[in-house]
Amino acid sequence: MVGEDEGRALNRHYRGKDYATNVLSFPADLAEGVKLPKGVTLPLMGDIVLCAPVVAREAAEQGKPAAHHYAHLTVHGALHLLGMDHQDDREAECMERLEREILAELGIEDPYRIQD
């Protein structure tokens, strides 16, 4: 987890967007011969960076428990690490469907449902 300044810097550096975003995913790209720390095994998917102030603010604005929003964004980031994206409508629908299914298994409501 990072704060807003670090989240903004990462988003600006890697995506060219000058604001803190809720989640960033960085696929693992290990050079051949890299020695992993004791207890770390392959395969490594990569890193998921959550920006705590943004996640907390969004959860409050959307009227949902922060833990549910964290879970949603963690699932979202993991799907990115698995190669999924949401650049077009078809990709977005597929990714959102999987997010809903995974979160439902965790007992978390549809994160895309509009709050009343």
Side-chain angles (χ1 to χ4, degrees), residues 48-89:
I48 297 172
V49 177
L50 296 164
C51 184
V54 173
V55 176
R57 183 172 55 249
E58 288 176 347
E61 288 170 353
Q62 296 170 22
K64 61 178 74 167
H68 290 191
H69 198 42
Y70 273 105
H72 173 216
L73 294 173
T74 300
V75 168
H76 184 89
L79 291 175
H80 276 304
L81 292 178
L82 290 169
M84 298 193 79
D85 215 331
H86 43 80
Q87 295 300 316
D88 63 44
D89 289 344

Coordinates of all heavy atoms in Angstrom, one line a residue, residues 48-89:
I48 N 0.9 -5.8 -6.9 CA -0.3 -5.0 -6.9 C -0.1 -3.9 -5.9 O 0.3 -4.1 -4.8 CB -1.5 -5.8 -6.5 CG1 -1.8 -6.9 -7.6 CG2 -2.8 -4.9 -6.4 CD1 -2.8 -7.9 -7.2
V49 N -0.2 -2.6 -6.4 CA -0.1 -1.5 -5.5 C -1.4 -0.8 -5.3 O -2.1 -0.4 -6.3 CB 0.9 -0.4 -6.1 CG1 1.1 0.8 -5.3 CG2 2.3 -1.1 -6.4
L50 N -1.8 -0.7 -4.0 CA -3.1 0.0 -3.7 C -2.8 1.3 -3.0 O -1.9 1.3 -2.2 CB -3.9 -0.9 -2.7 CG -4.4 -2.3 -3.3 CD1 -4.8 -3.2 -2.2 CD2 -5.5 -2.1 -4.3
C51 N -3.5 2.3 -3.4 CA -3.3 3.6 -2.9 C -4.3 3.8 -1.8 O -5.5 4.1 -2.1 CB -3.4 4.7 -3.9 SG -3.0 6.4 -3.3
A52 N -3.9 3.7 -0.5 CA -4.9 3.7 0.6 C -5.8 4.9 0.7 O -7.0 4.7 0.9 CB -4.1 3.5 1.9
P53 N -5.3 6.1 0.5 CA -6.2 7.2 0.6 C -7.3 7.2 -0.5 O -8.4 7.6 -0.2 CB -5.3 8.5 0.5 CG -4.0 8.0 0.8 CD -3.9 6.6 0.4
V54 N -6.9 6.8 -1.7 CA -7.8 6.8 -2.8 C -8.9 5.7 -2.6 O -10.1 5.9 -2.7 CB -7.1 6.6 -4.1 CG1 -8.1 6.4 -5.3 CG2 -6.2 7.8 -4.4
V55 N -8.4 4.5 -2.1 CA -9.4 3.4 -1.9 C -10.4 3.8 -0.8 O -11.6 3.6 -0.9 CB -8.6 2.1 -1.5 CG1 -9.6 1.0 -1.1 CG2 -7.7 1.7 -2.6
A56 N -9.9 4.4 0.3 CA -10.7 4.8 1.4 C -11.8 5.9 0.9 O -12.9 5.8 1.3 CB -9.9 5.4 2.6
R57 N -11.3 6.9 0.2 CA -12.2 7.9 -0.3 C -13.3 7.3 -1.2 O -14.4 7.6 -1.1 CB -11.4 9.0 -1.0 CG -12.2 10.1 -1.5 CD -11.4 11.3 -2.1 NE -10.5 10.9 -3.2 CZ -9.1 10.9 -3.1 NH1 -8.5 11.2 -1.9 NH2 -8.4 10.5 -4.1
E58 N -12.8 6.5 -2.2 CA -13.8 5.9 -3.1 C -14.8 5.0 -2.3 O -16.0 5.1 -2.7 CB -13.1 5.0 -4.1 CG -12.3 5.8 -5.1 CD -11.5 4.9 -6.1 OE1 -11.4 3.7 -5.8 OE2 -11.1 5.4 -7.1
A59 N -14.4 4.2 -1.4 CA -15.3 3.4 -0.6 C -16.4 4.3 0.1 O -17.6 3.9 0.1 CB -14.6 2.5 0.4
A60 N -15.9 5.3 0.7 CA -16.9 6.3 1.4 C -17.8 6.9 0.4 O -19.0 6.9 0.6 CB -16.1 7.3 2.1
E61 N -17.3 7.3 -0.8 CA -18.2 8.0 -1.8 C -19.2 7.0 -2.3 O -20.3 7.4 -2.7 CB -17.3 8.5 -2.9 CG -16.5 9.7 -2.6 CD -15.4 10.1 -3.6 OE1 -15.3 9.3 -4.6 OE2 -14.8 11.1 -3.5
Q62 N -18.8 5.7 -2.4 CA -19.7 4.7 -3.0 C -20.5 4.0 -2.0 O -21.3 3.1 -2.3 CB -18.8 3.7 -3.8 CG -18.1 4.2 -5.0 CD -17.1 3.3 -5.6 OE1 -17.1 2.1 -5.4 NE2 -16.1 3.9 -6.3
G63 N -20.4 4.4 -0.7 CA -21.2 3.8 0.4 C -21.0 2.3 0.6 O -21.9 1.6 0.8
K64 N -19.7 1.9 0.5 CA -19.4 0.4 0.6 C -18.4 0.3 1.7 O -17.6 1.2 1.9 CB -19.1 -0.2 -0.7 CG -17.8 0.3 -1.3 CD -17.5 -0.4 -2.6 CE -18.4 -0.1 -3.7 NZ -17.9 -0.5 -5.0
P65 N -18.3 -0.9 2.3 CA -17.2 -1.1 3.3 C -15.9 -1.1 2.6 O -15.7 -1.6 1.5 CB -17.5 -2.5 3.8 CG -19.0 -2.8 3.5 CD -19.2 -2.0 2.2
A66 N -14.9 -0.4 3.3 CA -13.6 -0.3 2.7 C -13.0 -1.7 2.5 O -12.3 -1.9 1.4 CB -12.7 0.5 3.7
A67 N -13.2 -2.6 3.3 CA -12.7 -4.0 3.1 C -13.2 -4.6 1.8 O -12.5 -5.3 1.1 CB -13.0 -4.9 4.3
H68 N -14.4 -4.3 1.5 CA -15.0 -4.8 0.2 C -14.3 -4.2 -1.0 O -14.1 -4.8 -2.0 CB -16.5 -4.6 0.2 CG -17.3 -5.5 1.1 ND1 -18.6 -5.6 1.1 CD2 -16.8 -6.3 2.1 CE1 -19.0 -6.5 2.1 NE2 -17.9 -6.9 2.7
H69 N -14.1 -2.9 -0.9 CA -13.5 -2.1 -2.0 C -12.0 -2.6 -2.1 O -11.6 -2.8 -3.3 CB -13.6 -0.6 -1.7 CG -13.3 0.2 -3.0 ND1 -13.8 -0.1 -4.2 CD2 -12.6 1.3 -3.1 CE1 -13.5 0.8 -5.1 NE2 -12.7 1.7 -4.5
Y70 N -11.3 -2.8 -1.0 CA -10.0 -3.4 -1.1 C -10.0 -4.7 -1.8 O -9.1 -5.0 -2.6 CB -9.3 -3.5 0.3 CG -8.6 -2.2 0.7 CD1 -9.2 -1.4 1.7 CD2 -7.4 -1.9 0.2 CE1 -8.5 -0.3 2.1 CE2 -6.7 -0.8 0.7 CZ -7.3 0.0 1.6 OH -6.7 1.2 2.0
A71 N -10.9 -5.6 -1.4 CA -11.0 -6.9 -2.0 C -11.3 -6.8 -3.5 O -10.6 -7.5 -4.3 CB -12.1 -7.7 -1.4
H72 N -12.2 -5.9 -3.9 CA -12.5 -5.7 -5.3 C -11.2 -5.3 -6.1 O -10.9 -5.8 -7.2 CB -13.6 -4.7 -5.5 CG -13.9 -4.3 -6.9 ND1 -14.2 -3.1 -7.3 CD2 -13.8 -5.1 -8.1 CE1 -14.4 -3.1 -8.6 NE2 -14.1 -4.3 -9.1
L73 N -10.5 -4.3 -5.6 CA -9.4 -3.8 -6.3 C -8.2 -4.8 -6.3 O -7.4 -4.8 -7.3 CB -8.9 -2.4 -5.7 CG -10.0 -1.3 -5.9 CD1 -9.6 -0.1 -5.1 CD2 -10.2 -1.0 -7.4
T74 N -8.1 -5.6 -5.3 CA -7.1 -6.7 -5.3 C -7.4 -7.7 -6.4 O -6.5 -8.1 -7.2 CB -7.0 -7.3 -3.9 OG1 -6.7 -6.3 -3.0 CG2 -6.0 -8.5 -3.9
V75 N -8.7 -8.1 -6.5 CA -9.1 -9.0 -7.6 C -8.9 -8.4 -8.9 O -8.3 -9.0 -9.8 CB -10.6 -9.4 -7.4 CG1 -11.1 -10.1 -8.6 CG2 -10.8 -10.3 -6.1
H76 N -9.2 -7.1 -9.1 CA -9.1 -6.4 -10.3 C -7.6 -6.4 -10.7 O -7.2 -6.7 -11.9 CB -9.6 -4.9 -10.1 CG -9.6 -4.1 -11.4 ND1 -10.6 -4.1 -12.3 CD2 -8.6 -3.3 -11.9 CE1 -10.3 -3.3 -13.3 NE2 -9.1 -2.8 -13.0
G77 N -6.7 -6.0 -9.7 CA -5.3 -6.0 -10.0 C -4.8 -7.4 -10.4 O -3.9 -7.5 -11.3
A78 N -5.2 -8.4 -9.7 CA -4.8 -9.8 -10.0 C -5.2 -10.2 -11.4 O -4.4 -10.9 -12.1 CB -5.3 -10.8 -9.0
L79 N -6.4 -9.8 -11.8 CA -6.8 -10.2 -13.2 C -6.0 -9.5 -14.2 O -5.6 -10.0 -15.3 CB -8.3 -9.8 -13.4 CG -9.3 -10.7 -12.6 CD1 -10.7 -10.2 -12.8 CD2 -9.2 -12.2 -13.0
H80 N -5.5 -8.2 -13.9 CA -4.6 -7.5 -14.8 C -3.3 -8.3 -14.9 O -2.7 -8.5 -16.0 CB -4.3 -6.1 -14.3 CG -5.3 -5.1 -14.8 ND1 -5.6 -4.9 -16.1 CD2 -6.0 -4.2 -14.1 CE1 -6.5 -3.9 -16.2 NE2 -6.8 -3.5 -15.0
L81 N -2.8 -8.8 -13.8 CA -1.6 -9.6 -13.8 C -1.7 -10.9 -14.6 O -0.7 -11.5 -15.1 CB -1.1 -9.9 -12.3 CG -0.7 -8.7 -11.5 CD1 -0.3 -9.2 -10.1 CD2 0.5 -8.0 -12.2
L82 N -2.9 -11.4 -14.7 CA -3.2 -12.6 -15.5 C -3.4 -12.3 -16.9 O -3.7 -13.2 -17.7 CB -4.4 -13.4 -14.9 CG -4.2 -14.0 -13.5 CD1 -5.5 -14.5 -12.9 CD2 -3.2 -15.2 -13.7
G83 N -3.3 -11.0 -17.3 CA -3.3 -10.6 -18.7 C -4.6 -10.0 -19.1 O -4.8 -9.7 -20.3
M84 N -5.6 -9.9 -18.2 CA -6.9 -9.3 -18.6 C -6.7 -7.8 -18.7 O -5.9 -7.2 -18.0 CB -7.9 -9.7 -17.7 CG -8.2 -11.2 -17.7 SD -9.7 -11.7 -16.8 CE -10.9 -11.3 -18.1
D85 N -7.6 -7.2 -19.4 CA -7.7 -5.7 -19.5 C -9.1 -5.3 -19.8 O -10.0 -6.1 -19.9 CB -6.7 -5.2 -20.6 CG -6.1 -3.9 -20.3 OD1 -6.7 -3.1 -19.5 OD2 -5.0 -3.6 -20.8
H86 N -9.3 -4.0 -19.8 CA -10.6 -3.4 -20.1 C -10.5 -2.2 -21.0 O -11.2 -1.2 -20.8 CB -11.3 -3.0 -18.7 CG -10.4 -2.3 -17.8 ND1 -10.1 -1.0 -17.9 CD2 -9.7 -2.8 -16.7 CE1 -9.3 -0.6 -16.9 NE2 -9.0 -1.7 -16.2
Q87 N -9.8 -2.4 -22.1 CA -9.6 -1.4 -23.1 C -10.8 -1.2 -24.0 O -10.9 -0.2 -24.6 CB -8.3 -1.6 -23.9 CG -7.0 -1.5 -23.0 CD -6.9 -0.2 -22.4 OE1 -7.1 0.9 -23.0 NE2 -6.5 -0.2 -21.1
D88 N -11.5 -2.3 -24.2 CA -12.7 -2.1 -25.0 C -13.9 -2.8 -24.3 O -13.7 -3.4 -23.2 CB -12.6 -2.8 -26.4 CG -12.3 -4.3 -26.4 OD1 -13.0 -5.0 -25.6 OD2 -11.4 -4.8 -27.1
D89 N -15.1 -2.6 -24.8 CA -16.3 -3.0 -24.1 C -16.4 -4.5 -23.8 O -16.7 -4.9 -22.7 CB -17.6 -2.6 -24.8 CG -17.8 -1.1 -24.8 OD1 -17.2 -0.4 -24.0 OD2 -18.6 -0.6 -25.6

